[in-house]
Amino acid sequence: MNTTEPLTPVRNNTTAWTLIFGAWLVASVATLGALFFGEVMQLPPCVLCWYQRIFMFPLVLILPIGLFPFDRNVVRYALPLAVIGCLFAVFHLLLIARVIPESIKPCTQGVPCSQTVIEWFGFVTIPLLSVLAFLTILALLVAAHLRSSK
Amino acid sequence: MKQKTLFIVALVGLLLVFIAGTLFYSTQKEKQATQMAEANRAALIRMHSPTLGRAEAPVVIVEFFDPACETCREFYPLVKQMMAANPDRIRLVLRYTPFHNGSDQVVAMLEAARKQDKFWPALEAILASQPDWVQHHTAQAPLVWKHLDGLGLNLEKMRADMTAPEIARVIAQDLDDARTLNVTKTPEFFVNGKPLPSFGYEQLSTLVEEALSSSQR
């Protein structure tokens, strides 16, 4: 009993590490994707896209800091970014799906947020990708929090 | 240690995919732009455009430009130098893309000056004084007038000519052709119908060199 006990937290921490690493992978793919749309394809980001970028980009830096050496507290630092970013992404998705009426859309000049610039397979839009990325990151972070030892 | 390796491999992998994607995308774009320019030869050169250089010059540079654009201002002497270095072998065709607010008024001034055969001196005066009349990315046409003094222009006649409907038509046609050719930024150059592979003076001079040497053969 005494010999097996210390092993369990270590294994749990390994699982938590992998989950946070997964969250970092998703954040990095989302960040590089956003940069590809903006800088390579030269699609101008709308105001809501900028807010989502503000909450996505820092995750790429914050999460690895919690990976080396492993620090379970990184979930606490990363979670607010993921939650707020997710809210923006959901709002954006509802806006382009016209669930939220045009009148309360927050951007009045520049690129309208309700404009769909990319539509793959008829339903994959940039805000949908953003919602999926933020939700995946949220799920992975929460799972890491539950798995990691106190 | 395995974790570190995993992280580094993932990081390098992601970056490589990004770089490969960028290269692939820009090659595709360049191909498309060349095809687009080839398919829209008519949209590239119109009879109404101001030109500089011998009409039969083997190399034709088409420049989509905005008098209020700073980079256009910087490129102007460079293009002139290129033409001076290859006398009678390069012709410059200017197309108007007044993307800045109020810039269409300045284009109308240029066209009015053209009626008095003073297009190029007017253009040079306007470009030289650009910092004075472009404020916060907006062209202030009324501030341009004083810089046209001393060119021997009849300013009264210019003011009347500026409102001519054919000038508005020329600008509309040029903007329409810019849309057809996917010109969204100024200056945009086409050398003998070929767009720049990417923006830059080096790229322009390489393209011109290529056109010059292929015309010699």
Side-chain angles (χ1 to χ4, degrees), chain A residues 40-55:
Chain A
V40 181
M41 294 175 74
Q42 309 264 322
L43 301 172
C46 78
V47 176
L48 279 176
C49 298
W50 272 115
Y51 281 107
Q52 287 160 70
R53 286 168 164 221
I54 287 167
F55 292 98

Side-chain angles (χ1 to χ4, degrees), chain B residues 105-132:
Chain B
Q105 282 301 303
V106 183
V107 169
M109 278 176 165
L110 283 169
E111 279 291 302
R114 196 170 156 207
K115 287 199 171 149
Q116 301 177 32
D117 282 327
K118 292 263 197 290
F119 178 86
W120 297 99
L123 177 64
E124 274 167 34
I126 280 174
L127 287 179
S129 58
Q130 193 194 62
D132 203 47

